[in-house]
């Protein structure tokens, strides 16, 4: 383990915060902003930690942060992989391995996500949610709430084992989505054949879902990229006929999903209403959310 360099860590955090502009994280600048970069409380909010904890790190007074806290700070500051690894070393920790699947959101995808005014989210190739904007939470529920559950954190697993996951989608799309998810997981396993998380997910699905086992046996890998129609049955705003645009980053095995509606349609108006209902979907019981 490297030495914890409190002074250099504080300096690096201050400089990265100063370089990050409100527009970079999808926030308005405002008229009374005196600092050029983000405020400490804004970084703390983005990293889901207390302002006091983050401020102590910048003031050279904080304790040695854990790897999980460093990962949260790296996401909040929108660090590149190299910057994240440098942060880990300054804090006296070995950086995450670069030859396995990473949960560090690709900075390019993150910048696009922060600028979108329509539901969007970043998934890894196991369909585990890494980041969602507020509209995506309103549309689909907070998928990151499953982060501590090795199986349910994957949309693939929830789709084949939880009826509530399928209830959000129109019944006529279920077969197509099932085939698409099985094929996508096949490609992910081929991309990282030695990954224990991927293997555990497949084993769990084979044990818990006969429907998945049947599709898995077909060895289909015809997952379609680009734009895919999605008809959602939302508990607040009703039926939404959307297009889901998928942008893939092969290197980091991540994808950005962007949900849009054709302008002037009832679905476009209902999608607009999501900005009014906000995060109400996320307040529904877990068994009713998608």
């Amino acid at each position: 383990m490297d030495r914890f360099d409190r002074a250099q860590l504080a300096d690096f955090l201050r400089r990265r915060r100063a370089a990050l502009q409100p527009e970079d994280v999808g926030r308005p600048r405002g008229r009374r902003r005196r600092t050029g970069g983000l405020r400490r409380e804004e970084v703390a909010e983005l990293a889901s930690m207390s302002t006091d904890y983050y401020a102590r790190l910048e003031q050279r007074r904080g304790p040695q942060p854990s790897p999980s806290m460093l990962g949260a700070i790296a996401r909040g500051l929108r660090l590149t992989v190299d910057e994240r690894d440098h942060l880990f070393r300054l804090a006296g920790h070995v950086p995450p391995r670069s030859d396995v699947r990473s949960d560090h959101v690709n900075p390019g995808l993150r910048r696009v996500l922060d600028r979108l005014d329509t539901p969007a989210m970043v998934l890894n190739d196991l369909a585990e949610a890494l980041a969602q904007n507020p509209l995506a939470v309103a549309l689909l529920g907070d998928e990151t709430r499953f982060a501590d559950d090795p199986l349910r954190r994957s949309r693939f697993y929830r789709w084949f084992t939880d009826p509530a996951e399928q209830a959000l989608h129109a019944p006529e799309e279920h077969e197509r989505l099932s085939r698409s998810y099985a094929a996508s997981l096949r490609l992910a396993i081929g991309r990282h054949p030695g990954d224990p998380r991927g293997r555990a997910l497949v084993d769990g699905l084979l044990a818990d879902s006969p429907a998945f086992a049947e599709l898995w046996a077909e060895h289909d890998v015809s997952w379609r990229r680009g734009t895919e129609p999605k008809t959602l049955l939302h508990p607040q705003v009703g039926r939404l006929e959307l297009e889901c645009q998928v942008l893939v980053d092969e290197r980091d095995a991540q994808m950005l999903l962007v949900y849009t509606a054709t302008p002037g349609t009832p679905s476009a108006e209902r999608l607009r209403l999501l900005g009014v209902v906000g995060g109400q979907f996320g307040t529904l019981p877990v068994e009713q959310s998608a």
Side-chain angles (χ1 to χ4, degrees), residues 11-114:
D11 181 72
F12 182 63
L13 292 176
R14 287 194 301 268
R15 292 181 181 275
R16 291 308 308 144
R17 175 170 62 84
L20 196 61
Q21 302 303 310
E23 297 84 354
D24 296 331
V25 297
R27 293 171 178 254
R29 176 168 293 276
R31 296 181 179 180
R32 297 186 178 182
R33 180 176 293 272
R34 295 179 180 178
T35 179
L38 292 185
R39 301 184 180 99
R40 285 172 177 166
E41 58 266 29
E42 291 173 326
V43 173
E45 181 182 350
L46 290 168
S48 301
M49 62 183 57
S50 73
T51 300
D52 178 69
Y53 179 89
Y54 179 78
R56 285 165 61 86
L57 291 177
E58 282 202 6
Q59 295 166 352
R60 308 185 187 185
R61 299 187 296 114
Q64 182 182 27
S66 67
S68 62
M69 294 298 281
L70 292 171
I73 292 171
R75 290 189 292 273
L77 287 172
R78 309 304 195 248
L79 301 185
T80 66
V81 173
D82 288 339
E83 290 169 336
R84 179 206 63 184
D85 291 352
H86 182 63
L87 178 70
F88 268 72
R89 295 187 184 98
L90 291 178
H93 292 289
V94 176
R97 290 174 54 187
S98 60
D99 60 339
V100 297
R101 182 177 289 101
S102 173
D103 289 340
H104 182 73
V105 180
N106 174 282
L109 295 183
R110 183 82 223 202
R111 285 192 294 272
V112 175
L113 175 68
D114 287 335

Side-chain angles (χ1 to χ4, degrees), residues 184-243:
S184 183
L185 182 53
R186 269 286 185 189
L187 291 172
I189 295 301
R191 189 179 296 112
H192 299 282
D195 176 41
R197 276 168 58 183
R199 189 69 258 171
L201 175 58
V202 172
D203 290 344
L205 279 165
L206 290 173
D208 298 338
S209 172
F212 172 80
E214 183 177 344
L215 290 174
W216 189 252
E218 295 182 12
H219 209 127
D220 180 22
V221 291
S222 57
W223 175 62
R224 187 179 67 176
R225 303 189 184 193
T227 302
E228 184 178 25
K230 293 285 182 71
T231 302
L232 302 180
L233 308 178
H234 194 275
Q236 268 79 42
V237 301
R239 186 181 180 93
L240 290 158
E241 296 181 358
L242 307 176
E243 295 289 334

Side-chain angles (χ1 to χ4, degrees), residues 161-284:
T161 62
D162 185 354
E165 186 80 15
Q166 295 192 6
L168 182 60
H169 294 263
E172 61 268 22
E173 295 187 350
H174 287 189
E175 182 178 358
R176 173 173 60 82
L177 288 173
S178 293
R179 290 187 173 279
S180 174
Y181 288 164
S184 183
L185 182 53
R186 269 286 185 189
L187 291 172
I189 295 301
R191 189 179 296 112
H192 299 282
D195 176 41
R197 276 168 58 183
R199 189 69 258 171
L201 175 58
V202 172
D203 290 344
L205 279 165
L206 290 173
D208 298 338
S209 172
F212 172 80
E214 183 177 344
L215 290 174
W216 189 252
E218 295 182 12
H219 209 127
D220 180 22
V221 291
S222 57
W223 175 62
R224 187 179 67 176
R225 303 189 184 193
T227 302
E228 184 178 25
K230 293 285 182 71
T231 302
L232 302 180
L233 308 178
H234 194 275
Q236 268 79 42
V237 301
R239 186 181 180 93
L240 290 158
E241 296 181 358
L242 307 176
E243 295 289 334
C244 179
Q245 183 74 35
V246 183
L247 306 177
V248 180
D249 181 271
E250 294 283 6
R251 183 189 63 183
D252 292 332
Q254 295 176 5
M255 64 193 81
L256 174 67
L257 274 57
V258 182
Y259 296 86
T260 60
T262 302
T265 63
S267 292
E269 175 60 20
R270 291 168 186 157
L271 197 59
R272 186 191 65 80
L273 287 176
L274 282 176
V276 178
V277 302
Q280 291 183 26
F281 198 155
T283 66
L284 294 175

Side-chain angles (χ1 to χ4, degrees), residues 125-162:
D125 60 352
L126 296 182
E128 298 169 344
L130 305 181
Q132 290 177 278
N133 65 11
L135 282 174
V137 174
L139 178 67
L140 300 163
D142 182 6
E143 295 196 19
T144 64
R145 72 188 186 278
F146 301 111
D148 294 329
D149 188 319
L151 292 179
R152 294 197 74 209
R153 66 185 295 183
S154 170
R155 180 185 289 186
F156 296 152
Y157 183 83
R158 298 194 308 273
W159 175 261
F160 285 102
T161 62
D162 185 354

